[in-house]
Amino acid sequence: NLTSPTPHTFILVGIPGMEQLHVWISIPFCTMYLAALLGNSVLLFTVWSERSLHQPMYLFLSMLAMADLTVSTTAVPKMLALFWFRAREISFGACLTQMFFLHFTCSAESVILLAMAFDRFVAICHPLCYGAVLTLAAVAKTGLVALLRSFCIIFPCIFLLKRLPFCGSNVILHTYCEHIGIARLACADISVNIWYGLTVPLAMVTLDLVLIAVSYVFILVALFRLPSRTARHKAFNTCGSHICVLVFFYVPVAFTALTHRFGWNIPHHVHILLANLYVLFPPLLNPVVYGVRTQQIREKVVKVFVCSKSHFLGE
């Protein structure tokens, strides 16, 4: 075999050992993807349409919805094409692009979740300072920080992959391209890729988790000091939505990252299935959690669509 620094194409296998079930697996995957598109689009349209929702909490929620749409749309259409039409080939450039946006969006979403925790911390622990601290400019700067930090963390992965020679198999045992999966096809030492891919993003995500945990320690202390049971219940309700979203996001991320490095005994098809659910479950469940648990969003969704229907019918 001749060594090529940049292979022309890779072959995506899908879910190894379950190829005969790809069409059946695609049905729930496609359903979840369409539901995620609908839910996040409705959420974004509602926040954009209702000026009363132009507040930090809902703007951060809109950022989360955009991140969810990006991560699912980056992976799922190609996955469905593979399942339905056996479109397994993907060019080297397209594979790197898909890898970049998947990891980039994951990193940005972690910053957004940290910002949402800080929003709840200020709202509950320092309510009088809320308007002064969380201005629209502060929200915009937070979004910019999320983008810049994620870019600085993930962009080096492209150079780490481009420096590798590929002289063997071009078959990726996955439904989409991700950093370590591509690196393992190289015929060279990939220890730098493994340690960078594990330590740097994981260190940043761990830092975000620690700061979120600190925020919630202060939030819980403040909640137990509230004299009113109604106020305490309302605060717990808004925090509960955020905690659910944290679980949906961080548990699959931690599992996927750690199994790449330590999970040699986990069946490969189990790892791939859970990695696919990571790009489907959070985008599907996040708008549901906030839509069901947040009364203001429920009311505004109904209002926006009732008004839109009336306008469409000329009433």
Side-chain angles (χ1 to χ4, degrees):
N1 291 335
L2 296 177
T3 300
S4 171
T6 54
H8 294 295
T9 59
F10 287 117
I11 305 297
L12 294 169
V13 169
I15 303 174
M18 303 182 72
E19 288 85 355
Q20 70 279 9
L21 299 175
H22 276 174
V23 174
W24 295 105
I25 294 171
S26 70
I27 296 173
F29 280 17
C30 181
T31 303
M32 287 189 286
Y33 175 59
L34 293 176
L37 287 182
L38 177 63
N40 286 286
S41 298
V42 167
L43 184 60
L44 285 170
F45 180 72
T46 302
V47 173
W48 177 77
S49 302
E50 278 294 316
R51 293 189 62 86
S52 62
L53 295 181
H54 293 180
Q55 303 171 25
M57 175 183 173
Y58 302 108
L59 295 176
F60 287 136
L61 188 55
S62 297
M63 292 181 191
L64 186 67
M66 287 188 285
D68 284 338
L69 287 173
T70 301
V71 73
S72 58
T73 302
T74 300
V76 178
K78 177 61 179 176
M79 185 194 307
L80 294 177
L82 188 159
F83 288 164
W84 290 339
F85 311 115
R86 297 188 178 181
R88 304 196 300 167
E89 288 194 357
I90 184 169
S91 69
F92 182 74
C95 196
L96 289 187
T97 302
Q98 187 183 56
M99 178 275 299
F100 173 79
F101 278 103
L102 280 171
H103 296 322
F104 171 84
T105 309
C106 174
S107 177
E109 198 161 339
S110 183
V111 180
I112 295 167
L113 291 172
L114 173 59
M116 295 172 77
F118 181 71
D119 171 83
R120 293 299 84 203
F121 164 74
V122 177
I124 293 171
C125 299
H126 304 283
L128 298 179
C129 302
Y130 186 83
V133 174
L134 285 161
T135 61
L136 293 180
V139 173
K141 289 176 183 176
T142 301
L144 184 61
V145 167
L147 295 176
L148 289 176
R149 194 193 78 165
S150 302
F151 182 84
C152 293
I153 292 172
I154 305 304
F155 195 65
C157 293
I158 294 178
F159 292 101
L160 289 174
L161 290 172
K162 277 183 167 289
R163 72 183 178 87
L164 295 173
F166 293 86
C167 57
S169 173
N170 66 338
V171 176
I172 299 176
L173 301 177
H174 212 308
T175 53
Y176 54 79
C177 298
E178 42 83 36
H179 178 215
I180 301 301
I182 301 172
R184 284 189 172 138
L185 298 180
C187 46
D189 181 20
I190 62 168
S191 57
V192 175
N193 295 73
I194 291 175
W195 286 110
Y196 183 88
L198 179 69
T199 57
V200 177
L202 198 60
M204 293 296 101
V205 170
T206 302
L207 176 62
D208 294 341
L209 262 176
V210 169
L211 294 175
I212 289 170
V214 171
S215 297
Y216 269 99
V217 168
F218 286 109
I219 287 171
L220 288 173
V221 170
L223 285 179
F224 286 118
R225 289 177 179 172
L226 289 175
S228 169
R229 179 175 294 182
T230 303
R232 194 181 305 135
H233 176 74
K234 183 179 179 181
F236 264 124
N237 195 44
T238 57
C239 292
S241 302
H242 186 238
I243 291 171
C244 289
V245 171
L246 290 173
V247 172
F248 296 151
F249 176 77
Y250 282 112
V251 171
V253 167
F255 180 85
T256 301
L258 293 175
T259 50
H260 269 307
R261 185 67 182 90
F262 305 109
W264 301 106
N265 296 324
I266 298 175
H268 203 65
H269 66 275
V270 174
H271 168 68
I272 302 302
L273 276 172
L274 291 175
N276 288 331
L277 292 179
Y278 158 68
V279 300
L280 286 165
F281 257 46
L284 171 67
L285 296 176
N286 289 349
V288 174
V289 167
Y290 273 96
V292 170
R293 294 180 62 93
T294 308
Q295 182 180 357
Q296 193 171 0
I297 291 180
R298 289 201 308 271
E299 292 173 351
K300 297 303 180 183
V301 167
V302 172
K303 178 184 174 183
V304 165
F305 281 92
V306 167
C307 291
S308 299
K309 180 181 177 181
S310 300
H311 179 73
F312 178 76
L313 295 175
E315 295 178 1

